[in-house]
């Protein structure tokens, strides 16, 4: 029986597990959703058999239920050799993945005020897994770590400097695991080494961010102190005028409500009044729903503006890379966004674009484009599995 690596991603109401073999090939994934609610459910990808979860199941219950199911179905018969956890915020403490022990866990707890919705639930998953597997090495891989190389000009807000000194108010950036994977994979596909490859990486899923990567290193990114800044997203506004807060407060809307609206009722959902889902939005637009067409237009225009902004951090560009559910699958979004960037020399080939990329490289640019444009499926779980295996074998617990 091959040794396995287990990857765990604890979200606010969901839990995702992935099992990799020791050669980093994915064996199975498992998912629990709507946790802590009456209709909590779970399933394992490689199996037809449903996994029963009690109503109102917590993350801890879902974790032990899914791990038992993986064992029963002989997908993970033995204890894993290492476990990797996705952790959203590593603050300025974590510049790379870290082996979990009492000290690193305390440091993750210290970062919780920067990500109050995410880090506590990530920590709950870590605690539950540690009690299930006390002697298996466990590793945290942070969404923020890849962006710790940002220069001060890119990470500081133009605010009183005491805010940064006393409260660590700065831009951190997120989706770092995905952008890191893009840097590695784009270089590989272009026949280059990551350390000499510069790309702009656009991760477009429910959350969206774009990163300038110079010689393999993140030098600017669109998300900031929180994952709210930057691009238009499924339900998040991205950039707005900070003066909006005072304006809305005057209308009697509380700070909590404003934050809630900007995070969960804005973006594609807010603009269209219908859905946060790009695929449904494209269908609606095709059937003449004008607010949906406008939502797509605004999404693409903001994206194009940010591609331009990322150019300020680069001296050369080897590729613009699209990833995430929208970036990988929506030819329309790629085409519409790049139509604003002809002046910069981006040209897309419609046939290649409709096919989501040609050749093994996933290229969609036309022959007269100044820069290659690539479509690359992201694989954050693979990065976490690799990091778990690397750190578990290189350091004592
Ligand atoms: P998450 O950030 O939750 O991981 P994903 O990366 O899966 O999300 O991206 C989800 C988004 O991708 C949704 O808006 C969905 O509509 C969009 N998407 C998936 N497939 C397509 C498609 N074929 N065309 C357009 N959008 C798509």
């Amino acid at each position: 029986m091959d040794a396995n690596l287990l990857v765990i991603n604890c979200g606010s109401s969901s839990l995702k597990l992935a099992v990799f073999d020791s050669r980093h090939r994915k064996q199975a994934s498992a998912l629990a959703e709507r946790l802590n609610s009456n209709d909590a459910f779970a399933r394992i990808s490689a199996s037809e058999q449903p996994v029963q979860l009690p109503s109102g199941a917590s993350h801890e219950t879902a974790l032990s239920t899914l791990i038992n199911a993986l064992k029963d179905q002989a997908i993970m018969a033995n204890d894993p050799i290492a476990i990797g956890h996705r952790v959203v915020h590593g603050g300025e403490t974590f510049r790379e993945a870290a082996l979990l022990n009492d000290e690193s866990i305390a440091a993750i707890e210290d970062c919780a005020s920067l990500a109050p919705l995410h880090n506590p639930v990530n920590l709950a998953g870590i605690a539950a897994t540690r009690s299930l597997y006390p002697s298996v090495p466990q590793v945290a891989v942070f969404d923020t770590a890849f962006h710790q190389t940002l220069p001060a000009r890119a990470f500081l807000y133009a605010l009183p400097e005491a805010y940064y000194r006393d409260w660590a108010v700065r831009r951190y950036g997120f989706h770092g695991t995905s952008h890191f994977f893009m840097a590695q994979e784009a270089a590989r596909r272009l026949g280059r080494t990551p350390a000499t490859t510069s790309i702009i990486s656009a991760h477009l899923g429910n959350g969206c961010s774009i990163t300038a990567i110079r010689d393999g290193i993140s030098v600017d990114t669109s998300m900031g102190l929180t994952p709210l800044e930057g691009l238009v997203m499924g339900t998040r506004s991205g950039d707005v005028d900070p003066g909006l807060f005072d304006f809305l407060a005057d209308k009697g809307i509380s700070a909590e409500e404003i934050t809630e609206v900007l995070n969960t009722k804005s973006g594609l959902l807010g603009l269209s009044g219908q859905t946060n889902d790009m695929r449904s939005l494209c269908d609606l637009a095709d059937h003449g729903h004008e607010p949906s067409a406008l939502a797509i237009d605004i999404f693409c225009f903001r994206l194009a503006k940010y591609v331009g902004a990322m150019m300020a951090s680069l001296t050369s560009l080897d590729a613009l890379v699209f990833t995430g559910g929208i970036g990988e699958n929506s030819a329309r979004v790629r085409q519409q966004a790049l139509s604003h960037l002809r002046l910069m020399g981006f040209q897309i080939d419609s046939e290649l674009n409709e096919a989501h990329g040609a050749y093994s490289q996933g290229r969609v640019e036309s022959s007269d484009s100044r820069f290659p444009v690539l479509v690359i499926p992201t694989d954050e779980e693979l990065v976490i599995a690799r990091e778990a295996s690397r750190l578990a074998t290189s350091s004592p617990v």
Side-chain angles (χ1 to χ4, degrees):
M1 173 64 61
D2 193 13
N4 288 307
L5 299 157
L6 179 62
V7 172
I8 299 181
N9 181 354
C10 250
S12 52
S13 64
S14 70
L15 172 73
K16 290 182 192 154
L17 302 186
V19 182
F20 287 79
D21 70 13
S22 56
R23 294 171 65 193
H24 304 164
R25 292 172 307 196
K26 194 162 169 178
Q27 304 299 298
S29 53
L31 170 75
E33 279 185 328
R34 303 193 200 120
L35 295 173
N36 305 307
S37 82
N38 290 339
D39 46 358
F41 80 95
R43 64 186 150 79
I44 293 180
S45 66
S47 145
E48 298 292 308
Q49 297 166 34
V51 180
Q52 293 300 329
L53 274 188
S55 170
S58 65
H59 286 82
E60 289 80 1
T61 308
L63 185 70
S64 56
T65 309
L66 282 173
I67 285 178
N68 284 333
L70 289 168
K71 279 187 193 157
D72 291 347
Q73 295 177 25
I75 296 168
M76 198 176 64
N78 302 320
D79 284 1
I81 49 168
I83 300 172
H85 295 266
R86 175 188 178 215
V87 176
V88 167
H89 219 305
E92 290 189 324
T93 312
F94 295 101
R95 301 181 70 86
E96 57 178 347
L99 206 59
L100 286 165
N101 49 37
D102 292 347
E103 196 186 344
S104 57
I105 288 174
I108 297 171
E109 279 163 358
D110 285 345
C111 300
S113 69
L114 291 165
L117 298 178
H118 295 105
N119 275 28
V121 77
N122 299 154
L123 283 161
I126 289 169
T129 320
R130 281 183 107 205
S131 61
L132 283 174
Y133 293 112
S135 53
V136 176
Q138 307 203 24
V139 166
V141 179
F142 301 91
D143 281 18
T144 50
F146 182 56
H147 301 302
Q148 277 298 300
T149 46
L150 255 57
R153 65 170 169 264
F155 78 66
L156 276 181
Y157 291 112
L159 291 169
E161 58 91 29
Y163 287 13
Y164 171 56
R165 196 172 6 97
D166 298 343
W167 297 330
V169 172
R170 52 159 286 176
R171 310 182 63 257
Y172 290 94
F174 297 86
H175 290 146
T177 310
S178 177
H179 292 302
F180 169 78
F181 183 74
M182 289 305 120
Q184 306 290 308
E185 186 58 18
R188 192 188 67 75
R189 290 181 185 210
L190 295 168
R192 308 173 61 96
T193 55
T196 58
T197 303
S198 295
I199 64 167
I200 294 175
S201 164
H203 177 112
L204 311 175
N206 275 313
C208 301
S209 72
I210 187 163
T211 295
I213 299 170
R214 183 171 168 174
D215 295 332
I217 283 170
S218 174
V219 285
D220 194 11
T221 193
S222 59
M223 283 177 169
L225 174 70
T226 74
L228 187 53
E229 189 177 340
L231 302 175
V232 175
M233 312 184 207
T235 61
R236 286 174 245 168
S237 61
D239 296 340
V240 289
D241 181 347
L244 178 69
F245 274 75
D246 193 42
F247 183 88
L248 292 179
D250 264 2
K251 307 272 174 214
I253 304 181
S254 69
E256 291 73 28
E257 277 175 276
I258 299 172
T259 304
E260 160 98 3
V261 167
L262 295 180
N263 275 293
T264 66
K265 296 186 177 140
S266 299
L268 296 173
L269 173 65
L271 284 165
S272 69
Q274 298 288 321
T275 175
N276 63 329
D277 185 275
M278 182 58 85
R279 202 171 359 188
S280 314
L281 220 48
C282 291
D283 286 343
L284 283 163
D286 287 343
H287 287 88
H289 189 253
E290 286 185 15
S292 295
L294 183 60
I296 300 168
D297 191 17
I298 293 169
F299 180 96
C300 294
F301 181 60
R302 178 88 57 90
L303 174 60
K305 287 213 295 192
Y306 260 98
V307 172
M310 291 296 133
M311 288 283 203
S313 292
L314 301 176
T315 51
S316 63
L317 181 66
D318 297 305
L320 167 64
V321 181
F322 285 96
T323 194
I326 299 172
E328 291 164 31
N329 297 301
S330 179
R332 176 186 196 142
V333 165
R334 294 191 298 260
Q335 187 277 328
Q336 227 171 295
L338 291 190
S339 71
H340 297 294
L341 294 171
R342 295 215 176 93
L343 194 58
M344 282 189 172
F346 287 100
Q347 299 283 351
I348 216 159
D349 179 295
S350 11
E351 265 182 46
L352 295 183
N353 191 37
E354 289 297 333
H356 308 302
Y359 324 116
S360 54
Q361 291 181 327
R363 292 174 76 147
V364 298
E365 83 278 7
S366 60
S367 54
D368 54 349
S369 181
R370 194 168 156 213
F371 306 105
V373 181
L374 272 64
V375 176
I376 300 181
T378 194
D379 200 340
E380 291 153 291
E381 289 171 344
L382 175 63
V383 175
I384 298 174
R386 284 180 184 156
E387 288 292 77
S389 138
R390 180 178 70 83
L391 285 174
T393 48
S394 67
S395 323
V397 188

